[in-house]
Amino acid sequence: MNTLMKSCLAVAVAVLAAGSASAQQASSARNFESEINAALESAKTAAGFEFTGTLARICLLPQSGGEDTSDRVPGYVANPASAPARETWYGEPARVFDNLYFVGGKIHSSWALTTREGIILIDTIYTYNSEELVVGGLKKLGLDPRDIKYVLISHAHADHIGGAEMLQTKYGARIVMGGPDWDNVAKHPNRYKTMAPKRDIVATDGMKITLGGTTVTIWLTPGHTPGTLSYTFTVFDRGKPVNVVYSGGTAFNFVNNTPDPGIRNFQTYIDSQKHIAEKAAATGATVILSNHSEFDNAVNKNRMLAGRGDGPHPYEIGSDLVQRYFRVMQGCARAAQLKLEQRVAETGKRE
Ligand SMILES: [Zn+2]
């Protein structure tokens, strides 16, 4: 080999080595686009045709940038005439299981679990419609609102806590809420005007609320709010026990427009969904309930009940689909979390 050939070879080897080094660099750099797509794909696959509302709400819509820290009296409390028109929210109450009644509206849900010693009520909707939907709904179904012994508040947003003060004052119901959400209510006297119950039972993870032989087990699922609660309990369908998991908070209402604390907040949310999915699996839950019809399709399912005949209960979707519900939540949250991780990787900025 002559000198020229030797040096050509040396250059070629150097070029090859450089090429493979940069290829190595590229393959070790994260491909965020494909990771985000994989997270979205997993949520979409998990949703199937059953959870399109949840998928659309948290995978598709732009998320709110952060939590509301203001303390203003809501317009519909300051001026009740400005509350949304009845036809936008009114829905028919329904007996859904032997011992579980729907007393919500078109958009938001409230559930009454009946026992031989009274009613455990789950969520209370707004100040302006809790009287008609919850109190009126119970009466329409032949139940007595004076039997409400416990009111479980999934989280302290006005669409779920709205009737809590009224139910506590009128019927002496015990109110259960997550500690951080009790604190939030105390901190915002204007925002919670006419809806703030006196501080009562502070929920803990695994706490059991038992009334007349029926037990609701509370699971702390912080994320949507720091005090969000989810539940497991058993209902009966024509005498057959059916296990239910209730998901207490869904949308990304926490601060998530900056990597810090957005990445951490998404992780809290994801960990909570894993926690409640585990409890759903352990209790053999075949029904998923929520506090928005958008997520569990309650209003449509209530209509389907009328034509059920001897067919399956429209709410009983099986344990596999119940698990898939929580995978939709995790996939959408992971995709949003990845976008923040990508921003850090590209800009080095966490704020
Ligand atoms: Zn909420």
Side-chain angles (χ1 to χ4, degrees), residues 242-255:
V242 174
N243 294 310
V244 174
V245 60
Y246 173 99
S247 172
T250 313
F252 306 152
N253 287 55
F254 42 86
V255 179

Side-chain angles (χ1 to χ4, degrees), residues 119 145 148-151 164 167-176 197 200:
I119 295 170
I148 302 173
K149 301 292 183 230
Y150 288 100
V151 176
L167 294 169
Q168 186 184 54
T169 310
K170 257 181 132 166
Y171 306 114
R174 303 292 311 268
I175 313 288
V176 184
D200 195 2

Side-chain angles (χ1 to χ4, degrees), residues 155 157 159-160 224:
H155 62 271
H157 281 159
D159 48 350
H160 309 297
H224 180 72

